[in-house]
Amino acid sequence: GSLKSFKILIFFINSISIMRFSNILALSLLSSASAFAPSIARRSFSISTSLQMAELTQDELKKMVGYKAVDDYVESGMVVGLGTGSTAYFAVERLGQLLKDGTLKDIVAIPTSIRTKEQAEELEIPLVTLDTHSKLDVAIDGADEVDPQLNLVKGGGGALLREKMVEVCADKFIVIVDDSKLTDGLGPGFPIPVEITPFCHEHTLRLVGALPSCDGCKPVLRMGSSSSNVNDGDEIAVTDNGNYIVDLHFEEPIKDAVAMANEIKSTVGVVDHGLFCDMTTAVIISSADGISVKEP
C-alpha cells in the first residue's frame, strides 16, 4: 500500500522543487497507511489535512484538488463533465494523463467551453455533447464563491450557461476550490454574472437590477474579454453562445440566493445566471493546512 501511495505522490508533485518534494514526501510516507489505504482501489491520493502546504503556490494547490477530484470520483466507463477555469484545467489535465497511461478506459467527456474543448482535444480525451449523452456520471468544476450551504457563484470566466447545462445533468457535481473561495454569504466577494440576450440588453440590465431580490446591487455590463469580469476592453464581452453578461455587484450578502436565482431566471431576456443552488455533491478545498472535503 505504501509503495503505491509513494508512486502516486511522486507522479503528482513532479512540478514541485526538490526541496518541497523532500518535505512533502517525508510527511506523506508517515501517514500513508491512514491517508491512502482506504481508497487505493480508486487511485485516490488523499492527503492528510495535517500536512503543511504553506510553501506551495496557488497553482500547485489548484493542481492538488484538480487531480484529487479525478482520482476519487472518475472511473472507467463514465461520462464526465469538464469544467472551465484555472482550477478545472488541472482536472482535465489529470483525466488526459490517466486515459493516456491506461488507468482509465472507455471515458467520454463533455466540455463546458471552447477553451476546455481545445484542451481536451490536445490531450486526446474523447468528446461528446449533451445531444447524444444527456446523463452524466460526474462533472468537475471550480467556483468563484461557495457559501455554507454549498451554493455557488460561477461564471467569472464567462462559461456559466454551458457549465450549468452540463453540470445539472450529472449524478455527482464535484467542486474544486481553494479556501479563499469560501464565504459566509454570496455577493460582496464576487459579482453575480447574468447571461442575457444582446437584443435590448440595456433594457434587460435595468430589469434585473430592479428586481426585489437584487435590491442594492449595481448591474455592470461586462466589457472586453468574456472570460474576465474585469473591464479589459472597449467592446461588449460576448460569450461562447453569442450573448452578453451583466455582473451584479453587491455590498451586502445576498439574503436568499435561491429566491434570487428563481427571480432572475424568470426575467424575460435573461438566458441564465451564475447562481448554482442545491447542485453540489462535494467541495474539495485546498488550504495551507491541507485538503478537506465538504458535503451538504
Side-chain angles (χ1 to χ4, degrees):
S2 296
L3 180 58
K4 186 168 184 178
S5 301
F6 175 80
K7 289 181 178 179
I8 295 174
L9 187 60
I10 291 286
F11 181 76
F12 163 65
I13 59 175
N14 57 11
S15 65
I16 301 177
S17 68
I18 296 299
M19 183 174 294
R20 287 177 180 165
F21 166 75
S22 299
N23 292 338
I24 292 173
L25 180 60
L27 286 170
S28 63
L29 284 176
L30 287 175
S31 60
S32 62
S34 59
F36 293 110
S39 53
I40 282 177
R42 302 186 64 191
R43 312 170 321 280
S44 171
F45 57 89
S46 300
I47 298 176
S48 170
T49 55
S50 65
L51 176 61
Q52 296 299 309
M53 301 188 297
E55 294 185 359
L56 300 186
T57 67
Q58 187 176 23
D59 277 349
E60 288 164 351
L61 291 172
K62 290 178 178 181
K63 186 173 185 178
M64 292 180 75
V65 292
Y67 278 34
K68 179 176 173 60
V70 174
D71 285 2
D72 285 3
Y73 291 96
V74 178
E75 299 177 355
S76 293
M78 282 188 168
V79 181
V80 182
L82 304 179
T84 296
S86 58
T87 308
Y89 173 91
F90 291 109
V92 179
E93 178 181 83
R94 180 59 165 170
L95 182 61
Q97 290 175 353
L98 295 181
L99 283 170
K100 185 176 182 179
D101 69 18
T103 303
L104 291 175
K105 302 178 186 298
D106 302 320
I107 294 284
V108 293
I110 301 178
T112 55
S113 67
I114 292 175
R115 57 187 180 276
T116 297
K117 178 177 180 289
E118 291 173 346
Q119 181 194 6
E121 287 174 340
E122 289 178 0
L123 296 171
E124 298 182 348
I125 298 173
L127 298 180
V128 294
T129 73
L130 291 175
D131 286 338
T132 57
H133 294 72
S134 293
K135 179 179 172 57
L136 286 74
D137 296 289
V138 63
I140 301 171
D141 204 354
D144 299 307
E145 278 196 324
V146 182
D147 76 4
Q149 290 72 46
L150 306 190
N151 295 317
L152 316 173
V153 173
K154 289 178 52 56
L160 59 105
L161 175 60
R162 296 190 186 192
E163 288 173 340
K164 187 175 288 185
M165 288 181 67
V166 170
E167 289 152 9
V168 77
C169 295
D171 290 340
K172 294 181 179 180
F173 177 32
I174 310 304
V175 180
I176 46 179
V177 297
D178 62 71
D179 61 353
S180 69
K181 304 299 178 66
L182 305 181
T183 181
D184 291 333
L186 303 177
F190 201 93
I192 313 299
V194 180
E195 188 160 343
I196 65 173
T197 61
F199 176 72
C200 296
H201 63 276
E202 293 181 1
H203 161 74
T204 305
L205 181 151
R206 290 195 300 269
L207 285 180
V208 173
L211 292 172
S213 62
C214 298
D215 184 46
C217 83
K218 178 183 178 183
V220 177
L221 185 65
R222 189 175 294 192
M223 304 293 290
S225 170
S226 65
S227 62
S228 172
N229 64 1
V230 177
N231 188 334
D232 59 1
D234 297 327
E235 300 293 326
I236 298 174
V238 180
T239 70
D240 287 349
N241 315 296
N243 297 316
Y244 296 166
I245 292 178
V246 175
D247 290 300
L248 306 181
H249 295 254
F250 288 84
E251 294 185 359
E252 300 293 331
I254 296 168
K255 295 178 181 179
D256 189 337
V258 175
M260 179 177 160
N262 292 333
E263 197 168 36
I264 294 176
K265 186 62 182 284
S266 65
T267 302
V268 177
V270 168
V271 180
D272 217 317
H273 52 74
L275 289 168
F276 286 52
C277 299
D278 302 321
M279 290 177 56
T280 306
T281 302
V283 181
I284 303 177
I285 306 159
S286 66
S287 71
D289 295 325
I291 303 294
S292 60
V293 179
K294 187 174 182 181
E295 298 178 346

